[in-house]
Amino acid sequence: MTTRRNFIRQAAALGAGLSVNPFFIKAGSSSVAANDKIGIGLIGCNGMGFGDLTAFLRNPEVECIALADVDGNVLNRKAAEAAKLQKGKKVAHLYKDWRRLIDHKDIDIVIVGTPDHWHCLQLVAACEAGKDVYCEKPLGNSIEECNVMIRAAERYNCVVQVGQWQRSDPHWQDAMAFVHSGKLGKIRTVRVFSYQGWCPSIPVKPDEPVPQGVDYDMWLGPAPQRPFNRNRFHFTFRWFWDYAGGLMTDWGVHLLDYALYGMNVTAPGSIMASGGKFGYPDDACETPDLLQTIYTFDGFTVMWDHAIGINDGGYGRTHGLGFVGENGTLVVDRSGWEVIPEKVSGTERMDAVPLNKQYGEGGLNLHVKNHLECIRTRNRNCNASIEIGAHIAKFSQLGNIAYRTGKKLTWDGKSFHDSEADRYLTKEYRAPWTFPKV
């Protein structure tokens, strides 16, 4: 088998002189020989973690070496599924302790598919071990976690792709090109919305014994000690502050990312938010089921709006962005984009642009191909690099912090200069886990 070091050196030589667009790479079919294998390991085998692994295994040069999950039932089930994806080749190593996977010498890429509160420790450890990383979004669960993760990737020269796969989806690039063309006229606001009718209320459930086969202490990791409760486990962890940031960070990192990209901006002048548990005041969720956040920039605003249990977020869509210009509004979501003309006194200020549907290979597959190409060439500027992922994760955190404090905040990139708000900048880790230092 060709070694990873020789493989990367050969591929880099072949790719010398090629320019890489930091926003979008149209990855074609692989030209890697069948014996040039890249070993991959997945930490967190449920949900998107396994979806990411599936996309990697569509590339013939990738081989799954190991899986790690705290739930032995999930681990065994996904190992069988991974073997089918590899045409019967079994996954050689199964671990409950993710650290053993990272220590494995034959693993080149680590997929971090765990709940948000684990991302920082696992990504930093993978970088320290010399692995490249595909990390699910949001990158971190606090602003300081994002900062240390950037430093780790830089220090150890690791190629990190964050799972914001819309960054590799062609129709989003087309929509942004239209926004940048100036045809919409002056844009006064960007409406960003995520209305998730499929996501129901979570009824209160009693604490219970830890299920057989689950290493619950490892699942909690650096998060506070709590009795086992199914509402806090697997998918619904995202509605509890210990582990995640609700819909604001879950969908916000996808959609707010494009608001900033379309408007060519980074830091807002101020942030304020209002919302609460209005739809389901007595259910088990801690994060708000309805939230509006306003980020004010010079000359325009970005407005985040989310709701759980309701589908109509605007423009007849459940999610998306509306770039509201004086001539018209461009609306984009995962299905495509269109332009709705502004009509004044019966006269349209611009021509309508009919729906341009999503096209080509799926965004996740292209995102993975982009990551593999960047690994071959050792180009750290992936479509959703760690810098891109960290910036939008922090931006979404600003909205949650404004909501939790109930204050209109200003942010200078390091501090709110408000003691109540600044205490949300980092997470206190439960012993024996300690916040990583890089």
Side-chain angles (χ1 to χ4, degrees), residues 170-227:
H171 79 276
W172 288 88
Q173 185 193 34
D174 294 346
M176 293 306 101
F178 194 98
V179 170
H180 294 159
S181 74
K183 295 177 182 178
L184 297 174
K186 178 177 173 54
I187 297 172
R188 298 182 187 178
T189 191
V190 185
R191 298 170 180 159
V192 189
F193 55 94
S194 179
Y195 274 49
Q196 300 301 324
W198 63 268
C199 188
S201 170
I202 301 171
V204 174
K205 295 180 179 179
D207 298 334
E208 59 181 285
V210 177
Q212 187 175 0
V214 173
D215 185 343
Y216 181 57
D217 187 68
M218 180 61 84
W219 188 91
L220 285 173
Q225 182 69 48
R226 308 279 188 195

Side-chain angles (χ1 to χ4, degrees), residues 410-418 422 425:
T410 57
W411 171 248
D412 66 5
K414 295 182 178 180
S415 173
F416 295 103
H417 301 285
D418 178 285
D422 281 346
L425 295 179

Side-chain angles (χ1 to χ4, degrees), residues 45-47 69-75 77 114-115 211 214 219 228-240 243:
C45 299
N46 247 349
D69 200 286
V70 299
D71 188 333
N73 305 301
V74 170
L75 187 60
R77 184 173 71 251
T114 48
V214 173
W219 188 91
F228 180 83
N229 191 292
R230 290 188 182 273
N231 281 331
R232 291 174 170 264
F233 196 53
H234 289 328
F235 178 83
T236 48
F237 74 84
R238 52 188 33 87
W239 314 132
F240 295 88
Y243 324 116

Side-chain angles (χ1 to χ4, degrees), residues 171-185 187 261-262 323 327-331 337-340 350-354 356:
H171 79 276
W172 288 88
Q173 185 193 34
D174 294 346
M176 293 306 101
F178 194 98
V179 170
H180 294 159
S181 74
K183 295 177 182 178
L184 297 174
I187 297 172
Y261 182 81
F323 291 86
N327 297 332
T329 296
L330 183 144
V331 185
W337 66 277
E338 63 182 317
V339 175
I340 304 168
M350 65 181 299
D351 293 333
V353 177
N356 287 265

